[in-house]
């Protein structure tokens, strides 16, 4: 079972990212859960969302304490949240950032393997909004292969309707531009 | 056959209500139930569901509208939670007393104060003696299946009582997970149209809700109590028919690895899945642990629960709502002890309060509780609150 | 023409010589001798006939008509609780709408009536009533206003008039009885922009029945406020009910009017009003009032009536 | 008889204690409440119908000649009819022993 924790700000789509990931996995015949951190947070506040993906039925309702994957949708979150907390041995942190791996490590002290992409730039250029939920899913695909682009297409189309294509474009571009540490 | 879907459980609950071809929905938004009624109003707005959606001004009015609608002969649904339930509870007693087959989904949530929108079973326990049939879902699939079952049982002429389907707020209501959503034709084959016995109809006038003086109130309550007792056979029969049609079989009490278990956890709702993971883990360490999960809460399945746990030396009984009795047992534990007493059976019962107001219940918590239960030497101790800070 | 005016444009009206014989509310009910409330309800039901579903709030009219095993109702009737009759009727109306549309039933012409006393209407049930009016359900609401909680033993409500003695607004060294002015329930109904609001009195049965019938013909919510004398609570003779009700109109204490599509229409202008004192002295609930008190009430009544005339476009 | 008095077994109750016989209150003799009884002088009566429409207990009924007759089975003796009669043709008289 793979467990993922998404970090973002309310309104940026961390919850949507988590949902789309689970829906893609379910669409591919896997078992999955997606759920937000159920707080009173409103637009702008730091929020989390969680995903579990498994080949067998998932039988737990605990929160995710020890994720295999952490995804950070907003670069400014790094300054206020220890996103590496609880990350499993061998886990990966996927960041939306303009910085290099070295700079990130220096500033945040993250020790885990990193995958980096300038998702905000991609989102603005492709969709004209700095909402990085679908963009960061491209990074997730690239960094982990947990779900496939084909699997994501359906849930994105269902969710975004007329603007689905732009989201898929952003996702695809992020896939191409994400730099994953070996 | 249905189809495999991935969707938020609240949305699935709403879809199931729509598949049940409900005629009237009266509801008021309250977290975490809100997505259920939002989605139902969307289905009505889009023409996918031919129903009247009444956006009432309070939960009190939601249940009152439901009584009017059900008494008029329409298939009727609402959903609520927590404070909303508390507000409508006056009318919930009347719905069951008037024998109206309303179906209500309750996204279980703690009661104020302090205000907590998060999950526990305070609303369920508060509503336990309102005369409603009450089932508790473990996962999204059960929410769907119990919804069809609720209408089937409620409207059965041998029952005619309201049914409350409970699901854990957030931990289940806001979970996206895979489920099987049945086809319309399958649901129609299982759930025939509602045929009221009595209804508000000018061509055949009936007086509903007359004054009951002391010479009839006792008989009225006896009749109602019998109706609830008799409903159990129909509830089980409707689950059997559901299983035969849909391939998913349900029982009042579900067991997991209880056959040779020395210690059995008794739980309700979605944390039972976490408990199963704990059971597996403890079994891998050679510990004989099992789980009994209460799916039917009212009418209380005493004999079924006793059969499920009678072989164990230790019982770990979970209560998910703080009750202020001043005594030694939570509500669930008191029910369990009552069955054991009647059967002159004396295992070691340990009662734990867990998961209050959204406090997470982990695999590790279950393991601790099992450990405590199997090592205290069988002497009676009062309930213990897990993870409370000193 | 507004929807209400359009719906009633061909209405002819009842006349005293030729009253409908139908009695949806049967005799044998247990109302007090000379009850003005059940009299008003009886007249209303005669106007409505049998194709009606009645939702009752808790109160005298519930308790005197329905002690098991008998019912005084010849039409379908439901009582659920005190404060929620407007929500119950909304549910019934919605159910009929859905079932007619879905072909489950074919009963498109049923009238839906909810009634409650003034406590049920102006106090505990005002939220449910406001909700049902705002949502536009097609129903009639009748407030049977006897100006206190009579069923529980004459406690004050927000509809109790200034100076009236009740068991919770007693007269004492520091109290003259009710210390607040009567809540304007019809005004509150009007503020909901519903198609029809009217006041009526059982002392003017043809007027009352006409208003009830119109309310049933108009789509959407209709609010009717009935002056409902309670000899027991007002402390007057049972035979006085109709006389007190008539005096209330003649003294401008309870003016009769309609509000059709938001337009105020005076039902009868009180040409030579009787002094309010004449009305007050008929009821022992007011007997402690001094002349100064009565003068103050008179001034208030005069002002309210002048305001009403203005709204109705009638010259004083 | 049991169903009329309400003294019955719980098994005989309708669903939710509903009452399925419309207008069955008509079985109740509310005339027993009365200490005064209305007597109409038909010589004076103008058949105006005031007594009929002002009676809270549905006591009056029009007969073949158009006069209103009181059904004393229900009359509680409130006296509204006598008070309201515009030609004072109704008088309230004391009930005998």
């Amino acid at each position: 079972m793979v467990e993922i924790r998404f970090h973002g700000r309310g309104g940026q789509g961390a919850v949507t990212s988590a949902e789309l990931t689970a829906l893609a996995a379910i669409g591919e015949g896997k078992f999955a859960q997606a759920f937000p951190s159920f707080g009173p947070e409103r637009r702008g506040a730091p929020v989390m969302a969680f995903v579990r993906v498994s080949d067998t039925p998932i039988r737990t309702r605990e929160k995710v304490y020890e994720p295999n994957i952490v995804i950070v949708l907003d670069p400014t979150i790094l300054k206020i949240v220890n996103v590496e907390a609880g990350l499993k041995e061998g886990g990966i942190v996927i960041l939306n950032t303009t910085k290099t791996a070295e700079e990130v490590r220096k500033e945040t002290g993250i020790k885990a393997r990193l995958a980096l992409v300038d998702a905000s730039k991609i989102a603005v250029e492709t969709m004209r909004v700095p909402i990085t939920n679908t963009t960061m899913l491209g990074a997730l695909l690239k960094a982990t292969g947990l779900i496939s682009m084909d699997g994501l297409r359906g849930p994105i189309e269902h969710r975004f309707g007329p603007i689905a294509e732009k989201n898929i474009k952003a996702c695809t571009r992020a896939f191409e531009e994400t730099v994953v540490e070996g | 056959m249905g189809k495999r879907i991935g969707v938020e459980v609240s949305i699935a609950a709403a879809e199931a209500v729509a598949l049940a071809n409900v005629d009237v929905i009266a509801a008021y938004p309250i977290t975490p139930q809100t997505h259920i009624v939002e989605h139902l109003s969307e289905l009505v707005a889009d023409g996918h569901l031919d129903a009247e959606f009444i956006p009432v001004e309070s939960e009190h009015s939601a249940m009152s509208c439901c009584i009017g609608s059900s008494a008029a002969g329409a298939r009727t649904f609402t959903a609520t939670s927590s404070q909303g339930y508390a507000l409508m509870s006056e009318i919930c007693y009347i719905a069951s007393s008037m024998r109206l087959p309303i179906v209500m989904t309750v996204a279980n949530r703690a009661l104020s104060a302090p205000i907590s929108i998060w999950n526990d079973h305070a609303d369920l326990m508060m509503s336990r003696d309102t005369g409603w049939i009450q089932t508790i879902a473990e996962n999204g699939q059960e929410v769907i299946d119990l919804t069809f079952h609720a209408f089937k049982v409620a409207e059965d002429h041998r029952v005619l009582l309201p049914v409350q389907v409970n699901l854990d707020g957030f931990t289940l209501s806001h979970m996206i997970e895979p489920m099987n959503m049945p086809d319309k034709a399958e649901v129609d084959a299982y759930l025939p149209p509602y045929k009221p016995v009595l209804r508000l109809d000018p061509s055949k006038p009936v007086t509903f809700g007359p004054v009951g003086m002391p010479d009839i109130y006792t008989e009225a309550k006896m009749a109602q109590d019998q109706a609830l007792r008799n409903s159990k056979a129909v509830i089980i029969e409707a689950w059997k028919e559901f299983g035969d049609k849909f391939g998913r079989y349900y029982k009042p009490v579900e067991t997991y690895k209880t056959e040779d278990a020395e210690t059995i956890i008794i739980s309700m709702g979605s944390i039972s899945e976490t408990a199963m993971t704990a059971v597996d883990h403890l079994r891998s360490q050679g510990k004989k642990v099992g789980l009994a999960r209460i799916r039917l809460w009212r009418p209380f399945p005493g004999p079924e629960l006793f059969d499920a746990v009678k072989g164990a030396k230790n019982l770990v009984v979970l209560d998910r709502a703080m009750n202020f009795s001043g005594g030694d047992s939570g509500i669930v534990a008191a029910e369990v002890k009552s069955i054991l007493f009647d059967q002159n059976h004396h295992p070691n019962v340990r009662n734990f309060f867990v998961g209050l107001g959204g406090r997470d219940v982990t695999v590790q918590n279950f393991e601790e509780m099992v450990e405590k239960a199997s090592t205290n030497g069988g002497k009676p101790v009062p309930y213990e609150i897990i993870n409370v800070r000193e | 023409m507004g929807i209400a005016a359009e719906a009633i444009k061909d209405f002819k009206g009842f006349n005293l010589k030729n009253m409908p014989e139908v009695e949806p509310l049967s005799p044998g009910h247990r109302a007090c001798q000379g009850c003005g409330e059940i009299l008003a309800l009886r007249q209303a039901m005669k106007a409505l006939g049998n194709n009606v579903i009645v939702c009752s709030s808790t109160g005298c009219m519930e308790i005197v008509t329905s002690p098991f095993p008998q019912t005084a109702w010849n039409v379908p009737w439901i009582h659920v609780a005190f404060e929620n009759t407007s929500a119950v009727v909304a549910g019934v109306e919605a159910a009929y709408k859905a079932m007619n549309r879905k072909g489950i039933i074919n009963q498109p012409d049923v009238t839906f009536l909810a009634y409650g006393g003034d406590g049920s209407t102006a106090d505990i049930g005002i939220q449910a009533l406001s909700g049902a009016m705002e949502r536009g359900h097609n129903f009639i609401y009748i407030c049977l206003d006897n100006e206190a909680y009579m069923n529980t033993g004459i406690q004050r409500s927000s509809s109790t008039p200034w100076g009236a003695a009740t068991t919770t607004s007693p007269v004492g060294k520091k109290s003259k009885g009710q210390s607040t002015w009567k809540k304007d329930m019809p005004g509150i109904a009007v503020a909901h922009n519903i198609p029809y609001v009217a006041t009526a009195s059982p002392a003017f049965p043809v007027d009352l029945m006409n208003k009830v019938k119109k309310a049933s013909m108009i789509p959407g919510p209709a609010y009717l406020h009935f002056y409902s004398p309670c000899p027991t609570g007002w402390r007057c003779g049972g035979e006085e009910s109709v006389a007190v009700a008539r005096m209330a109109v003649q003294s401008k204490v309870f003016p009769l009017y309609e509000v059709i599509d938001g337009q105020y229409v005076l039902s009868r202008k009180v040409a030579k009003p009787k002094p309010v004192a004449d009305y007050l002295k008929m009821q022992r609930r007011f007997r402690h009032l001094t002349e100064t008190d009565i003068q103050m009430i008179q001034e208030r009544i005069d002002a309210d009536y002048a305001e009403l005339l203005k709204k109705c476009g009638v010259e004083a | 008889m049991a169903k009329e008095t309400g003294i019955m077994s719980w098994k005989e109750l309708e669903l939710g204690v509903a009452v399925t016989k419309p207008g069955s209150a008509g079985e109740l003799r509310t005339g027993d409440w009365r200490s005064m009884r209305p007597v109409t002088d038909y010589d004076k009566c103008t058949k105006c119908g005031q007594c009929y429409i002002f009676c809270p207990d549905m006591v009056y009924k029009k007969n073949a000649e158009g006069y209103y007759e009181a059904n004393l089975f229900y009359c509680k003796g409130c006296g509204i009819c006598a008070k309201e009669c515009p030609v004072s043709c109704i008088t309230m008289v004391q009930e005998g022993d």
Side-chain angles (χ1 to χ4, degrees):
Chain A
M1 184 164 68
V2 174
E3 295 181 305
I4 314 173
R5 187 172 67 218
F6 290 79
H7 292 271
R9 291 188 182 275
Q12 279 180 341
V15 176
T16 304
S17 286
E19 288 179 11
L20 291 169
T21 306
L23 293 176
I26 292 166
E28 291 171 7
K30 292 179 181 159
F31 296 88
Q33 290 178 340
F35 53 103
S37 61
F38 317 113
E41 294 89 357
R42 302 285 154 131
R43 189 168 293 272
V47 295
M48 291 189 285
F50 308 99
V51 168
R52 289 191 174 94
V53 177
S54 171
D55 292 328
T56 53
I58 298 166
R59 280 207 308 230
T60 185
R61 302 281 174 188
E62 286 180 276
K63 287 175 190 158
V64 170
Y65 294 98
E66 296 181 350
N68 308 82
I69 303 165
V70 169
I71 302 178
V72 185
L73 273 68
D74 185 314
T76 60
I77 292 280
L78 289 173
K79 294 194 180 118
I80 46 173
V81 179
N82 174 14
V83 300
E84 203 183 11
L87 187 70
K88 273 209 176 71
E89 192 71 25
I92 185 165
V93 177
I94 305 172
L95 298 179
N96 169 17
T97 180
T98 54
K99 295 177 178 148
T100 65
E102 260 176 35
E103 287 166 341
V104 168
R105 281 187 206 290
K106 201 171 150 195
E107 283 173 24
T108 65
I110 294 176
K111 297 193 174 56
R113 201 155 65 94
L114 292 171
L116 308 173
V117 64
D118 187 355
S120 299
K121 186 178 95 181
I122 296 173
V124 169
E125 287 179 7
T126 342
M127 298 184 291
R128 299 182 196 284
V129 285
I131 301 209
T132 56
N133 49 10
T134 45
T135 314
M136 285 305 286
L137 291 180
L140 174 69
L141 299 191
K142 175 78 164 283
T144 69
L146 183 68
I147 47 171
S148 70
M149 194 64 221
D150 282 350
L152 258 181
R153 182 173 284 276
I156 289 179
E157 281 173 353
H158 184 257
R159 177 66 184 245
F160 295 105
I163 56 163
E165 271 316 310
K166 278 185 187 170
N167 277 277
I168 289 168
K169 205 170 145 195
C171 183
T172 310
R173 197 177 138 193
F175 180 86
E176 287 157 4
E177 295 182 15
T178 300
V179 178
V180 187
E181 287 187 325
Chain B
M1 274 298 93
K3 67 170 190 286
R4 190 173 190 265
I5 55 163
V7 68
E8 189 187 271
V9 171
S10 288
I11 304 300
E15 296 274 353
V17 171
L19 277 177
N21 193 19
V22 70
D23 300 315
V24 174
I25 302 142
Y28 186 81
I30 179 166
T31 306
Q33 161 267 98
T34 313
H35 291 184
I36 300 176
V37 298
E38 279 177 0
H39 191 60
L40 278 165
S41 73
E42 274 169 32
L43 291 170
V44 171
D46 288 342
H48 295 309
L49 170 61
D50 188 359
E52 285 295 307
F53 182 90
I54 315 176
V56 281
E57 80 295 335
S58 77
E59 280 93 349
H60 194 282
S61 284
M63 187 48 61
S64 302
C65 270
C66 285
I67 285 188
S69 164
S70 188
R75 183 171 284 172
T76 304
F77 176 83
T78 187
T80 193
S81 183
S82 181
Q83 304 305 119
Y85 196 111
L87 181 59
M88 67 162 59
S89 63
E90 179 204 13
I91 308 304
C92 292
Y93 282 91
I94 300 173
S96 58
S97 302
M98 293 178 92
R99 306 287 301 277
L100 297 170
I102 298 159
V103 170
M104 172 162 68
T105 304
V106 180
N108 299 124
R109 170 185 144 183
L111 286 170
S112 293
I115 188 166
S116 162
I117 57 167
W118 294 275
N119 169 231
D120 74 22
H121 286 176
D123 49 11
L124 170 57
M125 290 301 140
M126 175 184 62
S127 65
R128 71 191 184 278
D129 298 330
T130 50
W132 285 55
I133 293 168
Q134 297 175 335
T135 57
I136 307 165
E138 178 179 85
N139 53 40
Q141 189 65 57
E142 281 195 27
V143 172
I144 294 172
D145 295 350
L146 292 179
T147 300
F148 303 131
H149 177 259
F151 285 107
K152 176 94 168 175
V153 169
E155 296 169 1
D156 190 299
H157 284 192
R158 296 166 294 172
V159 177
L160 290 167
L161 283 170
V163 180
Q164 175 178 332
V165 178
N166 295 278
L167 70 151
D168 284 313
F170 289 120
T171 32
L172 195 50
S173 67
H174 282 50
M175 184 67 68
I176 287 181
E177 61 184 41
M179 290 159 264
N180 180 285
M181 185 61 75
D183 299 333
K184 181 91 182 84
E186 288 176 305
V187 176
D188 288 347
Y190 176 69
L191 184 60
Y194 172 41
K195 296 266 182 261
V197 174
L198 296 173
R199 73 177 197 94
L200 291 167
D201 176 0
S203 67
K204 202 171 175 240
V206 176
T207 286
F208 284 113
V211 178
M213 288 188 283
D215 58 11
I216 204 64
Y217 186 84
T218 305
E219 284 69 25
K221 291 298 116 177
M222 174 72 178
Q224 189 183 349
D225 184 51
Q226 285 297 314
L228 184 67
R229 284 172 186 282
N230 295 340
S231 73
K232 196 166 91 180
V234 181
I235 290 165
I236 293 168
E237 180 190 302
W239 271 330
K240 169 75 168 59
E241 189 189 332
F242 187 89
D244 292 346
K245 284 204 161 71
F246 295 88
R248 293 185 293 275
Y249 289 88
Y250 296 109
K251 294 186 297 201
V253 176
E254 209 67 58
T255 56
Y256 183 69
K257 300 189 178 176
T258 51
E259 296 76 21
D260 61 340
E262 288 177 5
T263 303
I264 293 179
I265 302 164
I266 298 176
S267 72
M268 291 176 168
S270 65
I271 63 163
S272 307
E273 299 204 330
T274 314
M276 285 155 81
T277 300
V279 166
D280 288 347
H281 190 233
L282 290 163
R283 286 256 168 196
S284 74
Q285 297 168 2
K287 291 177 182 157
K288 290 184 174 174
V289 181
L291 172 77
R293 172 165 77 86
I294 299 169
R295 180 181 285 119
L296 178 64
W297 173 236
R298 289 291 184 266
F300 189 67
E304 290 84 351
L305 185 58
F306 182 75
D307 277 349
V309 303
K310 65 186 175 197
K313 284 199 295 195
N314 309 304
L315 297 181
V316 174
V317 185
L318 304 190
D319 267 283
R320 304 235 17 239
M322 200 68 213
N323 65 304
F324 305 102
S325 70
D328 289 344
S329 300
I331 291 166
V332 181
E335 294 273 13
V336 170
K337 286 177 185 174
S338 151
I339 316 167
L340 299 173
F341 183 88
D342 291 347
Q343 299 285 345
N344 198 21
H345 183 62
H346 302 281
N348 170 37
V349 178
R350 286 298 310 267
N351 182 200
F352 297 101
F353 280 65
V354 295
L356 301 182
R359 184 69 61 87
D360 204 15
V361 187
T362 63
V363 171
Q364 200 189 340
N365 290 152
F366 281 105
E367 293 178 5
E368 282 165 25
M369 290 187 276
V370 168
E371 179 67 16
K372 283 183 173 177
S374 46
T375 56
N376 83 329
K379 63 174 193 295
V381 288
Y383 65 78
E384 180 180 338
I385 305 175
I386 289 295
N387 280 352
V388 68
R389 285 186 300 274
E390 289 296 333
Chain C
M1 197 181 281
I3 58 161
E6 174 70 30
I8 58 177
K9 67 179 194 300
D10 298 324
F11 176 61
K12 294 284 186 291
F14 294 99
N15 69 71
L16 195 55
K17 286 278 175 199
N18 205 7
M19 281 289 164
E21 281 184 17
V22 64
E23 297 284 1
L25 181 56
S26 86
H29 63 72
R30 303 181 195 200
C32 294
Q33 292 169 330
C35 174
E37 186 178 14
I38 203 145
L39 173 59
L41 187 55
R42 175 202 169 207
Q43 293 171 355
M45 294 313 301
K46 282 180 85 68
L48 287 176
N50 283 329
N51 198 16
V52 60
I53 294 173
V54 182
C55 301
S56 172
S57 85
T58 309
C60 288
M61 294 304 99
E62 170 252 335
I63 220 131
V64 303
T65 59
S66 77
F68 185 86
Q70 277 96 13
T71 176
W73 292 93
N74 285 312
V75 291
W77 180 91
I78 183 169
H79 160 252
V80 180
F82 196 4
E83 66 284 38
N84 67 348
T85 185
S86 304
V88 174
V89 79
V92 175
E93 184 255 9
Y96 264 73
K97 213 165 153 187
M99 292 192 297
N100 274 312
R101 191 175 62 228
K102 293 169 94 166
I104 298 167
I105 58 170
N106 182 22
Q107 297 173 286
D109 302 320
V110 178
T111 297
F112 307 98
L113 169 68
Y115 68 78
D118 50 290
S120 166
T121 306
D123 290 346
I124 197 168
I126 194 168
Q127 174 180 316
L129 172 61
S130 174
M133 290 195 295
E134 174 272 325
R135 293 191 301 270
H137 295 277
N138 185 19
F139 75 114
I140 305 170
Y141 188 93
I142 297 177
C143 172
L144 297 157
D145 182 5
N146 54 23
E147 303 194 322
Y149 291 88
M150 299 312 184
N151 190 39
T152 44
I154 321 168
Q155 293 82 24
R156 64 84 75 183
S157 77
S158 61
S159 198
T160 303
W162 189 91
T166 72
T167 55
T168 54
S169 61
V171 178
K173 279 184 187 159
K174 298 181 174 182
S175 166
K176 290 181 182 258
Q178 175 85 340
S179 60
T180 54
W181 296 95
K182 186 180 177 74
K183 187 185 277 184
D184 178 15
M185 248 338 276
I188 290 168
V190 169
H192 284 74
N193 291 318
I194 59 176
Y196 191 69
V197 174
T199 63
S201 163
F204 301 89
V206 172
D207 178 72
L208 180 147
M209 290 171 67
N210 286 346
K211 286 168 174 168
V212 172
K213 187 69 187 170
K214 287 185 205 171
S216 75
M217 296 164 74
I218 292 165
Y223 176 87
L224 304 174
H225 198 97
F226 286 4
Y227 186 82
S228 306
C230 174
T232 309
W234 295 4
R235 300 200 284 158
C236 58
E239 77 282 5
E240 297 275 323
S241 278
V242 173
V244 173
R246 189 179 296 110
M247 182 63 88
V249 173
Q250 291 172 341
S251 62
K252 308 186 293 190
V253 167
F254 191 85
L256 302 181
Y257 59 91
E258 293 170 287
V259 187
I260 305 167
D261 300 313
Q263 300 297 311
Y264 278 74
V265 180
L266 200 63
S267 304
R268 66 174 59 226
K269 185 167 179 202
V270 184
K272 289 183 184 153
K274 304 257 172 64
V276 173
D278 289 3
Y279 166 77
L280 299 174
K281 75 181 180 204
M282 296 174 88
Q283 307 159 62
R284 279 182 289 143
R285 61 174 171 158
F286 295 117
R287 70 172 165 183
H288 56 283
L289 297 180
T290 63
E291 278 193 19
T292 322
D293 298 333
I294 293 170
Q295 186 51 40
M296 183 178 65
I297 296 172
Q298 181 72 60
E299 283 164 15
R300 173 93 181 202
I301 296 284
D302 288 344
D304 286 353
Y305 194 76
E307 186 64 26
L308 176 66
L309 290 185
K310 214 190 293 171
K311 284 181 189 163
C312 295
V314 175
E315 297 215 1
Chain D
M1 191 57 204
K3 290 217 166 174
E4 281 68 48
T5 59
I7 306 300
M8 61 174 84
S9 157
W10 65 269
K11 294 171 192 162
E12 295 173 275
L13 293 175
E14 298 281 357
L15 272 174
V17 203
V19 181
T20 53
K21 196 177 169 199
S24 47
E27 295 157 5
L28 296 170
R29 183 197 292 272
T30 51
D32 288 350
W33 298 19
R34 187 178 65 239
S35 54
M36 304 280 277
R37 133 177 87 90
V39 176
T40 306
D41 178 352
Y42 292 115
D43 291 340
K44 286 209 242 162
C45 174
T46 61
K47 305 179 185 176
C48 73
Q50 301 269 3
C51 56
Y52 171 79
I53 202 62
F54 285 134
C55 177
D57 294 299
M58 304 80 158
V59 164
Y60 285 93
K61 200 169 179 210
K62 209 191 269 193
N63 68 16
E65 292 128 56
Y67 289 109
Y68 290 91
E69 286 180 31
N71 180 351
L72 295 177
F73 187 84
Y74 298 120
C75 174
K76 293 172 185 162
C78 70
I80 291 178
C81 53
K83 170 106 181 162
E84 292 304 320
C85 177
V87 294
S88 302
C89 76
I90 303 173
T91 31
M92 299 304 288
V93 303
Q94 194 71 36
E95 283 289 346
D97 293 330

